[in-house]
Amino acid sequence: MNEALRVPVGGGVRLDADLALPPGPAGRPRGLVLFAHGSGSGRHSPRNRHVAERLQAAGLATLLADLLTLEEERADTVTRELRFDIGLLARRLEALSDWAQTDARTEGLPTGLFGASTGAAAALVTAVSLPDRVHAVVSRGGRPDLAGDRLGRVRQPTLLIVGGADPLVLDLNRQAMERLAGQKRLEVVPGATHLFEEPGALDEVARLATAWFTTYL
């Protein structure tokens, strides 16, 4: 069950977020996965929620948050600038992780980051900033190239998942694989386009992400 939160991230800003713990009497979660949504999306993304439910079933806590405030989202629909402000998104993601370390339910849990589209770049930048806290990263249809020179400094195990029918993003991820310094893997979901809307495509994303996080968290 999701708990709605308002998480302070500095500068007087609070972000809407949903925290979910594993179902049933499973005891303390084995880890926490923070989600970084893509451009024009948010914590209600059905694709991210689908993956989150699978992670929860595997014993992981999840935190899905809107990385922009409502006012920022409104401005971004016009300017389309904030969705590509990777530095801002990464700072927000780092602040969410800081908050999670102060909550009794998630304090001290090894952290994984799941990023989609531009959120994947923010996740990779955050992994560099929090090397001792972040244990693994998963990117879905991500833009790791937008992490810039930070990409080559990522040391955590990183899984890049791309649709086979998303040629531009697939090419960018293949280039990113050459720059990632730590353990890495590129998984191509055959026939899937950028949003993984094809039958079974998102289930495969969830399966791959769950296997990765349960291995490294």
Side-chain angles (χ1 to χ4, degrees), residues 2 6 27 80 83 111 166:
N2 291 325
R6 296 270 291 169
R80 300 177 65 85
R83 66 187 65 187
T111 298
D166 190 9

Side-chain angles (χ1 to χ4, degrees), residues 57-195:
L60 295 164
T62 61
L63 183 65
L64 290 86
D66 294 330
L67 296 182
L68 299 177
T69 66
L70 184 59
E71 293 75 16
E72 289 169 340
E73 287 179 1
R74 288 171 177 162
D76 193 55
T77 59
V78 178
T79 65
R80 300 177 65 85
E81 292 178 353
L82 292 177
R83 66 187 65 187
F84 292 105
D85 189 339
I86 304 304
L88 172 65
L89 300 178
R91 289 192 298 274
R92 296 272 172 89
L93 193 58
E94 184 175 346
L96 289 167
S97 179
D98 289 342
W99 172 86
Q101 294 302 307
T102 69
D103 188 278
R105 295 163 295 182
T106 52
E107 179 183 6
L109 292 178
T111 298
L113 303 177
F114 183 97
S117 188
T118 52
L124 290 163
V125 171
T126 302
V128 174
S129 299
L130 302 175
D132 296 326
R133 187 184 304 167
V134 174
H135 290 225
V137 180
V138 173
S139 162
R140 172 183 63 80
R143 290 290 307 275
D145 56 297
L146 295 178
D149 60 2
R150 299 287 187 94
L151 184 61
R153 295 165 55 190
V154 176
R155 296 294 184 268
Q156 295 90 336
T158 300
L159 173 65
L160 307 179
I161 307 173
V162 187
D166 190 9
L168 175 60
V169 174
L170 179 54
D171 183 58
L172 291 171
N173 276 259
R174 283 174 171 154
Q175 294 177 40
M177 281 287 290
E178 298 177 1
R179 297 174 58 194
L180 283 166
Q183 186 171 351
K184 57 197 174 183
R185 182 187 301 170
L186 173 63
E187 290 281 358
V188 180
V189 180
T193 51
H194 187 61
L195 296 180

